[in-house]
Amino acid sequence: MKQEKSEQKSKLTNRIFLIIIAAVLAGCLTLWAPFDKVEYWFGDILYVREKPVDNRIKIIGIDEKSLEEMGPFSGWTRQQSADLLNAFDKEHPPAVIAFDINFVGQRDQAGDEALAEAAAGFPHVVLASYIHYGTRVLQAEAGKYQIDTMYVEDLELPYEALLHETTHGFTNAVQDVDNYVRRSMLAESEDGIQEWNFAWKIYDEYRKAMGEQSREPKQVNGIYGFDYTAEPGMYEVYSYVDVLEGRCDPKVFQGSIVLVGAYAQGMMDQYMVPIARGTVMNGVEVQANHVDALLNGRTYVNISGWIQAFAAFLIAGFYVWLVSHHSFLVNTVGGIVLEAGIIITAKCLYGAGYYWGCFVPFAFVLVTFLVRVAAGYLTERVRKRKILSVFRTYMAPQVVDELGKSGNYKIELGGRDREVAVLFVDIRGFTSMSEGLSPEKIVGILNRYLGMVTEAIFKNDGTLDKFIGDAVMAVYNAPLDVADYACKAVQTGLDIVAAVESINIELKKEFGIEIACGVGVHSGRAVVGNIGCSYRMDYTAIGDTVNVAERLESIAKGGQVLISRDLYEQVKGRYHAAFVGTQSLKGRQGGMDVFLVEETNGTNTSGKNT
């Protein structure tokens, strides 16, 4: 009892330790984020979905057609941009016109003046600026130093004349470790002057045009994420040259947000985005998606890393506890429910504007389940091999193979009642015969004899029950069903008697002795199974059928195979047996009809002629 309690306590301690280790590991992996690229990939699959584009957003693209008709972009002057603005309908203007093009420094005076003059005719024109970051060393407290890698070194703004007529925002892209664009800074400061990002300024100007108040997105350290709306080519795109030449009705832009930018591959303004993995998106389309997200409130911030780590800690700990305490069915259902819960919770949080990087807890549950399956499979394989190796010591190889295929194998206490045939065989006069032999010779004779008997039992699909000194007990039709088991039991007896003659030739030559075996076989119902205790058990048969077979063997003379009437009725068409009388068997009231099997009746159980 004490040993059992000690084992239970040890198992409980190991489980608790395993649960804590798993939970801490999941929490640390989430906090340290060694799988950032995988986490982003998983998040893209989980969160990013194509949605209907906002029809208020339209793109005028500097595309291949425009470059073919107007020449390389490097040769354009600002007059072309002025002409584009003048092509819009002043009476039905766009709400916002945004150029994702840098107009830095003066180039030609006429073009510069024309563009500034054209821009002055529209109240909401947004231009692109660009921030140049540098690195500097800052002195912190206690004489320590730290490196600032996001130092605003320079800010490129539109030339002065244009700057007075427009507003502007920086177009710097925030790229994650996998080089995908998912997030943006809302604003940056230089010398106390705040510069807003390009998409936000477009959104802000549109709200002003509509007479509405802008709403800043939630941020963490000035960073927020935006949810992509559509893949490349889904927004309304008009060719720059078509608008310039009046080939499309300018009224289509009335009240819209118009973004003007590069739409040709050679202009090198393309980015990798989560909604189109494996392909790139033009920068102006990235801005369109960004503005769309701001207009429709689809921005988000990352949940605190500590909160995510704690969630991973709880989820991993709970599932490892579930796996270590419950059945495979509970593990499976629990795992499915937990995985579904993670996904549903993550999506709900994302819809509310919070990004949960749930790859680690999701993967941890999945991996734990797979490990559970693999461990169960390997454990079952080991158990099966162990059980079959035990069965091979007392069952015919072909029966063991069939047992392995069927999977109906167990080593546990208890038995079941079934119809069997039981055989006993013993050497007549072995004790007196062995008195003049050395122990080594006795063992040698026994081993040869027992090997012969075992071979005969296995040959006829029997199960070797036990060795009892020089006696052997065998059972047929257990633990698996054996076809024609009664005849096979009788055939085993005849095979043993026949084999003794061959062994005697060798024994006579080597030891100067001969042996004779008596065999008793009976059929009937018996309880078959493992008898004993949890740490020591034997597979055997018990019951009156076993006792009768043993009594028949005890009265059999050397070279005789005696069977009961019950068994005779089962095999009389296959074997010739002579009635030897009604015998009184020890332990039984009344007599029993006994038959002596002399030979097979034409064919044996193997179907070979005799």
Side-chain angles (χ1 to χ4, degrees):
M1 183 64 73
K2 288 183 179 180
Q3 182 179 357
E4 203 171 297
K5 286 184 178 180
S6 177
E7 288 178 359
Q8 289 178 353
K9 186 177 180 181
S10 177
K11 286 181 180 179
L12 180 61
T13 302
N14 291 338
R15 283 175 177 173
I16 293 173
F17 181 73
L18 180 63
I19 291 167
I20 293 173
I21 290 295
V24 170
L25 178 62
C28 290
L29 288 175
T30 300
L31 195 60
W32 295 336
F35 308 112
D36 268 354
K37 291 184 179 181
V38 180
E39 181 69 73
Y40 286 132
W41 165 82
F42 184 74
D44 293 344
I45 293 174
L46 184 61
Y47 299 124
V48 181
R49 291 290 181 273
E50 189 171 340
K51 294 165 281 292
V53 299
D54 193 319
N55 292 326
R56 293 174 289 181
I57 301 171
K58 295 174 174 42
I59 296 173
I60 296 177
I62 304 172
D63 55 4
E64 302 290 349
K65 180 181 179 181
S66 301
L67 297 177
E68 287 177 7
E69 295 189 26
M70 299 173 63
F73 184 73
S74 59
W76 291 17
T77 67
R78 280 148 188 181
Q79 183 63 53
Q80 279 91 340
S81 298
D83 292 342
L84 181 71
L85 286 172
N86 292 327
F88 290 116
D89 188 339
K90 295 282 195 307
E91 294 183 2
H92 305 91
V96 178
I97 303 170
F99 284 87
D100 189 12
I101 302 170
N102 291 95
F103 296 107
V104 180
Q106 294 184 336
R107 296 178 63 178
D108 68 292
Q109 186 174 353
D112 292 348
E113 290 177 356
L115 178 56
E117 184 179 347
F122 296 91
H124 302 286
V125 177
V126 183
L127 303 180
S129 63
Y130 191 81
I131 299 173
H132 288 278
Y133 290 97
T135 302
R136 63 179 177 177
V137 178
L138 299 176
Q139 185 172 359
E141 298 178 0
K144 295 182 180 180
Y145 293 89
Q146 64 182 30
I147 299 175
D148 179 11
T149 59
M150 294 295 289
Y151 164 62
V152 178
E153 196 171 65
D154 186 32
L155 177 61
E156 288 186 356
L157 297 173
Y159 60 93
E160 189 173 351
L162 186 59
L163 192 62
H164 288 303
E165 306 297 342
T166 60
T167 187
H168 50 83
F170 61 84
T171 57
N172 299 66
V174 176
Q175 293 177 293
D176 291 319
V177 293
D178 58 355
N179 296 320
Y180 280 70
V181 177
R182 302 179 181 85
R183 295 168 177 80
S184 179
M185 293 181 295
L186 181 61
E188 189 65 271
S189 296
E190 183 194 24
D191 297 331
I193 301 174
Q194 195 168 41
E195 182 75 3
W196 301 87
N197 76 55
F198 186 61
W200 167 261
K201 286 304 296 181
I202 295 171
Y203 162 76
D204 187 47
E205 289 297 312
Y206 180 78
R207 287 292 190 186
K208 289 177 183 177
M210 297 295 107
E212 299 171 351
Q213 186 70 33
S214 299
R215 297 186 302 272
E216 286 191 16
K218 293 187 289 286
Q219 310 150 56
V220 174
N221 298 324
I223 300 291
Y224 65 92
F226 57 92
D227 185 24
Y228 279 80
T229 301
E231 296 181 358
M234 299 305 293
Y235 285 95
E236 289 184 54
V237 180
Y238 299 87
S239 176
Y240 191 103
V241 69
D242 286 343
V243 177
L244 196 64
E245 297 296 330
R247 296 170 192 163
C248 64
D249 187 353
K251 289 183 180 180
V252 300
F253 302 111
Q254 180 181 353
S256 298
I257 298 172
V258 178
L259 289 91
V260 183
Y263 215 76
Q265 290 185 358
M267 298 186 70
M268 307 298 292
D269 186 29
Q270 295 175 321
Y271 299 91
M272 298 172 69
V273 293
I275 201 166
R277 295 192 67 88
T279 61
V280 291
M281 178 179 282
N282 292 304
V284 69
E285 287 181 305
V286 175
Q287 299 294 353
N289 275 275
H290 191 166
V291 173
D292 200 330
L294 289 168
L295 284 171
N296 295 285
R298 296 198 313 273
T299 62
Y300 59 85
V301 291
N302 281 17
I303 295 174
S304 165
W306 286 103
I307 294 176
Q308 293 189 51
F310 184 65
F313 176 90
L314 292 178
I315 291 169
F318 171 74
Y319 191 62
V320 171
W321 171 82
L322 196 70
V323 167
S324 63
H325 282 77
H326 295 84
S327 67
F328 180 76
L329 178 61
V330 173
N331 300 162
T332 304
V333 174
I336 292 172
V337 170
L338 202 55
E339 296 285 56
I342 290 172
I343 292 174
I344 292 170
T345 303
K347 283 183 170 291
C348 289
L349 288 170
Y350 188 73
Y354 297 95
Y355 184 100
W356 177 23
C358 58
F359 169 74
V360 170
F362 185 90
F364 206 97
V365 171
L366 179 61
V367 170
T368 302
F369 174 75
L370 294 177
V371 169
R372 166 71 175 83
V373 172
Y377 173 75
L378 292 176
T379 302
E380 186 66 14
R381 285 285 300 270
V382 170
R383 191 177 77 90
K384 177 180 176 181
R385 288 185 179 181
K386 181 180 178 181
I387 292 173
L388 293 182
S389 67
V390 173
F391 280 144
R392 281 192 177 92
T393 63
Y394 54 79
M395 291 176 64
Q398 62 270 26
V399 177
V400 175
D401 292 340
E402 188 62 31
L403 189 66
K405 291 176 184 177
S406 70
N408 296 322
Y409 50 89
K410 286 185 179 180
I411 291 184
E412 59 183 20
L413 286 175
R416 54 195 181 114
D417 184 69
R418 62 183 293 141
E419 195 74 27
V420 296
V422 181
L423 175 145
F424 274 87
V425 58
D426 191 11
I427 300 177
R428 293 293 168 259
F430 182 75
T431 303
S432 58
M433 178 189 66
S434 61
E435 288 180 353
L437 300 175
S438 66
E440 291 80 6
K441 290 182 179 180
I442 294 173
V443 171
I445 294 169
L446 270 177
N447 286 342
R448 195 172 303 182
Y449 153 72
L450 294 175
M452 174 272 295
V453 172
T454 302
E455 183 179 346
I457 292 169
F458 286 176
K459 173 185 172 185
N460 291 284
D461 298 338
T463 298
L464 178 60
D465 188 294
K466 62 175 68 72
F467 295 128
I468 313 166
D470 59 318
V472 180
M473 173 183 169
V475 180
Y476 296 78
N477 204 41
L480 295 180
D481 293 337
V482 175
D484 209 14
Y485 68 91
C487 288
K488 289 183 177 181
V490 174
Q491 185 63 46
T492 302
L494 293 177
D495 289 346
I496 291 172
V497 170
V500 166
E501 297 179 7
S502 299
I503 289 179
N504 279 336
I505 296 174
E506 299 174 7
L507 294 180
K508 183 72 173 178
K509 184 178 180 181
E510 292 181 32
F511 305 108
I513 64 170
E514 292 181 345
I515 63 173
C517 295
V519 180
V521 191
H522 178 50
S523 67
R525 303 202 69 80
V527 177
V528 184
N530 289 296
I531 309 299
C533 59
S534 59
Y535 52 87
R536 180 68 174 92
M537 63 181 74
D538 284 317
Y539 187 83
T540 189
I542 58 176
D544 186 61
T545 299
V546 178
N547 297 333
V548 171
E550 185 180 14
R551 300 296 184 267
L552 289 172
E553 174 269 317
S554 67
I555 63 173
K557 298 178 181 178
Q560 287 187 336
V561 178
L562 298 183
I563 65 175
S564 64
R565 176 171 288 280
D566 291 338
L567 184 56
Y568 171 75
E569 294 297 334
Q570 290 179 263
V571 304
K572 63 182 179 181
R574 304 283 292 278
Y575 291 90
H576 177 69
F579 178 66
V580 295
T582 300
Q583 301 286 334
S584 177
L585 300 181
K586 184 179 178 182
R588 285 182 64 89
Q589 293 181 354
M592 171 173 280
D593 292 343
V594 179
F595 293 79
L596 171 64
V597 181
E598 298 176 342
E599 60 183 9
T600 60
N601 189 18
T603 58
N604 62 17
T605 57
S606 301
K608 297 178 182 178
N609 292 330
T610 58

